[in-house]
Amino acid sequence: MSKVMKEMISTLAYLLGVLCLTWLVITFVGQRTEVDGSSMEPMLTDGDNLIVDKITYRFSDPKRFDIIVFPFKQEKNTYYIKRIIGLPGETVQIDLQGNIYINGELLPENYGREVIAPEHVGIAVEPIVLGEDEYFVMGDNRNNSTDSRTEIVGNIHGDDIVGRAWVRIWPLSKLGILKHQ
């Protein structure tokens, strides 16, 4: 075998290794996603680029106030980014004054951009009982978010969660780890 042929095989093996490693990282460790819309303002804004951590939930359950990424079932290749409000087994309800209740107790939280307007309470005006692997999610921009308060999103099953929004990588002026809790 000539020296040129050995070099070509070596280069191809290297490139194949890099592609395999890239696939493994994107599939099992993390991936980039872009925020499209204003539903998570002020925390995340339209055009922000994030790295989604796909490992954490393999070893622990999602927690209240985690920002998660999940597929929107009504449209292929569309993912939503929302904050977990209700956990499995809990009952979530929102009154017409915009107060969020978990198991009948007022949820102490400060992630909402504004008070939820009565017309945006949605199906949560009635108590929503979450199943053993269901989560209730909401956008931080409460009056401009399609989330678990609507029937087209509803409760999110744990198996549908792609991962946890971890780091903002763009714009560079906002580069950093995202605060969840």
Side-chain angles (χ1 to χ4, degrees):
M1 211 187 255
S2 72
K3 186 176 178 178
V4 172
M5 188 60 117
K6 286 181 183 178
E7 191 65 35
M8 285 177 56
I9 290 172
S10 174
T11 301
L12 282 173
Y14 175 77
L15 289 175
L16 184 61
V18 168
L19 288 174
C20 287
L21 183 61
T22 302
W23 179 82
L24 287 170
V25 167
I26 289 172
T27 303
F28 298 108
V29 179
Q31 73 181 43
R32 185 193 67 79
T33 192
E34 183 175 344
V35 176
D36 183 17
S38 62
S39 73
M40 283 301 291
E41 287 181 353
M43 174 61 89
L44 302 171
T45 57
D46 187 45
D48 283 359
N49 279 255
L50 313 173
I51 298 294
V52 177
D53 162 19
K54 296 170 116 180
I55 291 181
T56 298
Y57 296 149
R58 293 183 192 276
F59 303 104
S60 65
D61 292 330
K63 296 174 180 54
R64 188 178 330 278
F65 304 130
D66 281 359
I67 300 170
I68 62 167
V69 175
F70 59 92
F72 178 52
K73 293 183 181 186
Q74 304 292 327
E75 196 173 322
K76 282 194 177 277
N77 298 319
T78 300
Y79 294 87
Y80 276 11
I81 301 171
K82 306 292 178 192
R83 189 179 299 276
I84 293 176
I85 300 298
L87 300 171
E90 293 182 334
T91 300
V92 179
Q93 185 172 15
I94 304 172
D95 66 20
L96 294 176
Q97 288 73 45
N99 298 306
I100 303 169
Y101 293 90
I102 304 293
N103 296 330
E105 293 187 28
L106 185 63
L107 177 67
E109 60 99 34
N110 60 353
Y111 292 108
R113 181 176 184 177
E114 58 210 357
V115 174
I116 302 168
E119 62 270 17
H120 294 288
V121 170
I123 61 175
V125 71
E126 297 294 326
I128 296 173
V129 179
L130 300 170
E132 68 179 55
D133 191 34
E134 292 183 327
Y135 297 85
F136 188 90
V137 299
M138 294 175 66
D140 289 356
N141 189 352
R142 302 292 165 79
N143 293 320
N144 189 23
S145 177
T146 303
D147 50 39
S148 290
R149 296 172 289 170
T150 66
E151 291 178 4
I152 63 169
V153 174
N155 301 333
I156 305 304
H157 293 274
D159 292 342
D160 292 330
I161 298 174
V162 173
R164 180 176 179 257
W166 177 46
V167 176
R168 182 181 358 234
I169 58 172
W170 187 262
L172 290 177
S173 60
K174 295 180 178 179
L175 178 72
I177 295 175
L178 297 173
K179 178 185 175 199
H180 292 260
Q181 302 289 328

